[in-house]
Amino acid sequence: MTVFGSSDAKVLMPRTIADGMIKQSKSLSTVARLSNREPMRFGEVDFITFNDFPKMEYVEEGANKASTSTGFGSVTAKPHKGQVTLRFNEEVQWADEDYQLGILTEVADAGQVALSRGLDLGLYHRINPLTGSVITGWDNYVTATTKRVEQATADADEDFRAAVGLLINGTPSSQVNGVAIDPKFAWALADLKKKDGSGETSDQRYPQLGFGTNVSDFMGVPVAQGDTVSGTPEAVDTKVRAIVGDFQNGIRWGVQRELPVEIIRFGDPDGQGDLKRKNQIALRLEIVYGWYVFTNRFAVIEDKVV
């Protein structure tokens, strides 16, 4: 447990940093950048699916009309509640009021980053961000897909083509309208060199990628870049370097409840002792996500496990 004290806040005061807090930049949710959020009520949400699409029939003048055969099924998006609780010494809120730094607001913003990253880690890998462990009771997550490409001797762009091919040439065929990539994979693409008859040259194969620090498009496929693809730093590296697939139709997700920042001044909200007795306050953010993933519409590119 970490308890933040007034000494931690002093470095943020205007005497030291004129603009207030400087916070570490982290990637936000790649899921949210590639897949549309949709409204959801609280609890399990059922989505109707077609087992076989209905087919149109052309009918000649005066001819009889036939019915089309089809079948219905359903999938269920389940709720997943996430929370961030931080403890502070009481004096921090006084410093915040006196210096008008917005310390608690900044911490709340950082908490929102944590919740955004939590969406990726849960939906991609079923990882609990706080502990870095796998939630074994969850059985619906993207990297459960059996469509996998192992990075070995092929160039990174060939691995990407192979993953796309698994989806487009699959039965049924899947669309590819997004790819989430780890920074290591972005660098592998950016570092590729052109080849001629004598071998590799010094010219970049994809000069538009620069150093691969902010890739937004590759081969016409929208890209969202973030280290949640590999599950780091919250968990041990999953070795996943890219997730390719139908982000528009293969993921149904939404926010079922988004609770405001709550300042808790009494009680023991996290099992670390009574707040008043310890002269502390707690800051809590909570959110309830709901999602269902069609795992067969995704392919994973992963490092070779040594």
Side-chain angles (χ1 to χ4, degrees):
M1 178 185 70
T2 301
V3 178
F4 300 94
S6 56
S7 60
D8 299 306
K10 284 179 181 176
V11 298
L12 309 174
M13 294 179 182
R15 294 190 301 268
T16 308
I17 302 174
D19 294 330
M21 292 186 71
I22 295 178
K23 59 186 178 184
Q24 183 181 8
S25 176
K26 283 193 174 183
S27 61
L28 296 176
S29 170
T30 57
V31 171
R33 279 180 275 166
L34 293 171
S35 180
N36 295 324
R37 165 182 168 178
E38 56 188 273
M40 278 194 186
R41 67 180 188 274
F42 177 69
E44 295 189 353
V45 179
D46 293 329
F47 295 103
I48 301 300
T49 60
F50 279 111
N51 296 332
D52 185 21
F53 285 102
K55 300 176 181 64
M56 185 194 78
E57 177 190 28
Y58 285 109
V59 182
E60 298 296 334
E61 184 177 351
N64 294 328
K65 301 179 181 70
S67 62
T68 181
S69 61
T70 188
F72 295 96
S74 67
V75 296
T76 303
K78 295 183 178 180
H80 302 285
K81 186 175 184 179
Q83 67 91 24
V84 178
T85 300
L86 299 167
R87 282 194 175 221
F88 297 84
N89 287 333
E90 273 191 336
E91 290 78 8
V92 171
Q93 63 182 329
W94 302 337
D96 189 55
E97 292 169 357
D98 288 347
Y99 290 93
Q100 296 298 305
L101 293 177
I103 294 172
L104 298 182
T105 300
E106 288 289 340
V107 172
D109 290 343
Q112 291 288 354
V113 174
L115 296 179
S116 296
R117 291 178 64 82
L119 173 63
D120 282 14
L121 293 168
L123 194 149
Y124 285 155
H125 309 290
R126 63 173 180 169
I127 286 174
N128 184 339
L130 183 60
T131 63
S133 59
V134 168
I135 304 172
T136 56
W138 292 6
D139 58 4
N140 183 246
Y141 55 101
V142 170
T143 55
T145 179
T146 58
K147 297 176 180 177
R148 313 185 83 85
V149 174
E150 186 180 80
Q151 289 184 295
T153 57
D155 289 345
D157 56 353
E158 290 300 321
D159 291 329
F160 180 75
R161 287 189 182 92
V164 172
L166 287 177
L167 296 167
I168 293 177
N169 296 320
T171 305
S173 179
S174 295
Q175 298 181 53
V176 175
N177 47 43
V179 55
I181 63 173
D182 183 76
K184 295 182 182 67
F185 192 75
W187 169 255
L189 291 173
D191 196 41
L192 290 172
K193 303 297 190 298
K194 291 180 180 178
K195 294 180 180 179
D196 57 21
S198 58
E200 193 174 86
T201 70
S202 60
D203 296 329
Q204 282 185 289
R205 194 177 302 176
Y206 304 103
Q208 73 275 15
L209 300 185
F211 290 108
T213 55
N214 191 24
V215 181
S216 59
D217 179 276
F218 185 67
M219 292 187 177
V221 179
V223 172
Q225 186 172 330
D227 51 13
T228 53
V229 173
S230 62
T232 58
E234 287 89 344
V236 175
D237 190 348
T238 63
K239 301 298 183 181
V240 174
R241 295 295 174 253
I243 300 169
V244 185
D246 185 1
F247 280 86
Q248 294 299 313
N249 306 293
I251 296 174
R252 305 294 298 268
W253 77 278
V255 176
Q256 297 187 352
R257 287 290 186 275
E258 188 168 7
L259 306 178
V261 178
E262 178 186 8
I263 297 179
I264 306 171
R265 294 184 169 87
F266 305 96
D268 182 7
D270 54 4
Q272 303 297 329
D274 183 74
L275 290 169
K276 274 298 181 184
R277 185 170 185 269
K278 291 180 175 290
N279 192 40
Q280 295 170 356
I281 61 172
L283 185 72
R284 174 170 290 167
L285 302 90
E286 292 183 287
I287 196 166
V288 180
Y289 292 119
W291 70 69
Y292 184 84
V293 176
F294 296 88
T295 54
N296 63 339
R297 300 185 188 183
F298 292 89
V300 165
I301 303 171
E302 55 194 343
D303 254 354
K304 185 176 182 179
V305 179
V306 179

